[in-house]
Amino acid sequence: MIGDNKNLNKIIFDDIYYSKIIKKHGYNPVDFKIINFNLKNIDMQTLEDKFVCHHNGDVFVERMKKGYKSIITTGFGLSGKQHLGSISEMLKIVALSKTGLKTHVVLGDLDSYNARNQELETVRKRVKQYKKFIDRLGYNKNSILRDQYSHTKILHTAFIIAHYLKDEDFIEAEEDIA
């Protein structure tokens, strides 16, 4: 009967639910921790306000302090105009780049072209718009801001990897996005 909520299965997003998803798909559980460290010249409170929690961020900071080469990498899909979620992430990576941390942003133009079946001309235009937007936010010129199309090494790697993929690999790649 339509509207009869008694018979509907309800998903409760609790620890038990997530434990089942992790076990079902063989995921490694992510151990998020409260931020208890400074990063470059960003104090603990500012980090906590912007990022809430971390997974091995403390290890990253300790290794960086010991002189290990370090880079923070992120990327943005180009399926449409920037929205609050992506702009929030852009502001975060820009803030990190301004501290002098090496950062790397990949704009997913070929992802949108292939996965979203969008016109190449459209996604190439968005690359210019996104780059301009991120630059205007103050992205550090010493960091890396690039698209996929302009970097043929990525295409080379994709072709090498493709040799080892089968249709079943994609069919089995199930993700719970409820």
Side-chain angles (χ1 to χ4, degrees):
M1 175 167 162
I2 296 174
D4 182 7
N5 290 334
K6 295 176 186 172
N7 297 322
L8 295 177
N9 288 330
K10 293 182 181 179
I11 296 175
I12 299 172
F13 297 97
D14 59 6
D15 287 343
I16 295 169
Y17 171 81
Y18 289 113
S19 294
K20 287 179 184 176
I21 295 298
I22 288 168
K23 184 176 181 180
K24 177 181 176 183
H25 296 285
Y27 296 147
N28 292 324
V30 178
D31 181 23
F32 290 110
K33 300 175 189 164
I34 293 175
I35 293 172
N36 59 357
F37 53 83
N38 298 327
L39 180 60
K40 283 283 201 171
N41 58 353
I42 305 175
D43 64 86
M44 204 178 332
Q45 186 61 52
T46 303
L47 283 171
E48 194 172 302
D49 290 345
K50 286 184 184 268
F51 297 96
V52 183
C53 60
H54 71 92
H55 175 69
N56 289 338
D58 51 347
V59 175
F60 174 82
V61 169
E62 287 305 313
R63 290 177 56 89
M64 190 177 60
K65 285 180 182 176
K66 292 178 181 176
Y68 286 87
K69 287 186 177 184
S70 304
I71 190 165
I72 298 172
T73 304
T74 192
F76 301 102
L78 302 181
S79 59
K81 292 193 180 282
Q82 301 96 332
H83 53 78
L84 189 55
S86 59
I87 291 171
S88 169
E89 295 303 314
M90 287 174 191
L91 290 169
K92 291 173 185 175
I93 198 72
V94 166
L96 292 172
S97 79
K98 285 180 176 180
T99 68
L101 285 165
K102 185 79 169 183
T103 60
H104 179 201
V105 175
V106 178
L107 301 176
D109 52 345
L110 293 181
D111 290 345
S112 295
Y113 172 71
N114 287 308
R116 304 281 182 160
N117 200 25
Q118 296 183 340
E119 296 295 324
L120 186 58
E121 183 181 325
T122 300
V123 295
R124 295 301 301 147
K125 183 178 173 183
R126 285 192 194 128
V127 164
K128 291 177 185 173
Q129 293 169 337
Y130 273 61
K131 280 184 176 181
K132 186 175 182 180
F133 186 79
I134 293 169
D135 282 339
R136 284 185 172 172
L137 291 175
Y139 192 64
N140 186 325
K141 301 293 183 202
N142 293 324
S143 285
I144 302 164
L145 173 59
R146 68 170 178 82
D147 56 87
Q148 296 167 316
Y149 181 89
S150 304
H151 290 77
T152 55
K153 283 185 179 181
I154 292 170
L155 298 174
H156 177 259
T157 302
F159 274 99
I160 297 296
I161 292 170
H163 179 77
Y164 298 97
L165 296 174
K166 298 178 183 77
D167 289 343
E168 296 83 39
D169 295 324
F170 295 99
I171 293 167
E172 292 176 9
E174 180 185 340
E175 185 175 354
D176 186 352
I177 56 172

